[in-house]
Amino acid sequence: YLSFKDIETFDLTTLNRAKGYKEENVIKAERYNLLKSAVIFGANASGKSNLLKAMLYMKGHVINPDSMLQSNDVIKLDQFKLSTETTNEPSFFEIEFLIDKIKYRYGFETKIGDITNEWLYCAEKIQEKVLFIRENAIFEISKHFKEGLDLQDKTRPDVLFLWVVAQFNGEISNKIISWFKNFSIVPTLVDPSLYNLLFNLLKQEEYRSIISQFLRLADTGIEDINLEEILFSKTDPPPGIPEEILNRIKDDSKTSRQLKLLATHRQFDLAGNTANLVDFNFETDESAGTKNFLLLIGLIIETIKLGAILFIDELDAILHPFLTQVIISLFNSNKTNPKNAQLVFTTFNTDLLSTGILRRDQFWFVEKSFENYTKLYCLAEYKINSKSIRKDASFREGYLNGRFGGVPSIGDIQKEFEKFLLWQKDNLKAEKV
């Protein structure tokens, strides 16, 4: 899928060789020790975003297959094209997760829209048992998955069997669908649903208060954030109402309602004392960075509240490094994350490698091979001269020096640019002659 040629595994179970922070950073779930957070590093075009897109593709097929089949956006099926070996092979997706102390392993293979294989296993203890296996139009449904019996004929070749069973109120299948709905993957904060989530939180005083505190901590200059309801008609709209909203109003005289975000700032006198509080229109008067930060706050609060899972692409593009550390600490703390929510994000911020707040198995790297496919690996599994990376090693220095991979070759870029400048200089001489 995209830049992934071979099967690559991203794993949030702990590794025995990675010690430290066991009480804070680790979730003890039955016989499993799971990580509350992880960070993925890699150079530009190495495949970091493609990992999230792969997860988005899988989630989209599970919870809304009809929408996926009509989609032309970033989560369309786009197979790895740079190998004759895999050109005609299906794309493979599999995920393992816990629901009610039971581990499920679910996956499927798809090719040009059709589901070629699909499977679901579960394990209450160590031994896995089959719930169902699908190979093209042939289904094997076990006695442990009675909810799926007699639904094979209702399953189209391009739709997942799991989704079909859920439509008929299957208990296990609906639990899994719900799990996927609480698995948030955010490739971009330009998403209207994030505003809906934020507005719902701001309507509750306790959430509005903590969101305002976040904004003050981030030194945005905002003292408070509030919602204001505006009544207007199509013929007399207030400033800042998007054109697409006005176009949806059919009756020119009908009164409509629109929620408006207000950001409260302090106004100072000549002596530097607070003279007044002034409300700004958040949508028109605040920076793009502040808007993104506010949307992110709502998403993080909702994730921790539900004990859900959140994957974010390029978190450092939105946050100051200090705030990134604060958010990691929120997820890693037993006090602020009592339901064991999990956070994973991609970043270029190498400062995180030297903060001492994460274990070695919480650092992941992606890099491109010589044949241009993405490889994914964990720092705790990485070896140099057959030896594991020591926990007291300088991770940041090692990464920037290229010891762990995942960084661009700056030296090569410099050499090529020097050649370009020489060529340009020679060309200028030739033109003068």
Side-chain angles (χ1 to χ4, degrees), residues 82 97 109 194 197 237 255 291 341 345 391 404 415 422:
L82 300 180
F97 49 93
E109 292 184 345
L194 295 181
L197 169 62
T255 301
K291 293 175 190 175
F345 61 92
K391 67 178 181 179
F404 313 142
K415 288 177 184 176
L422 286 172

Side-chain angles (χ1 to χ4, degrees), residues 324-340:
T324 302
Q325 292 181 42
V326 169
I327 287 171
I328 292 172
S329 298
L330 287 179
F331 277 84
N332 286 346
S333 169
N334 294 325
K335 292 180 179 178
T336 54
N337 185 14
K339 293 186 178 180
N340 293 325

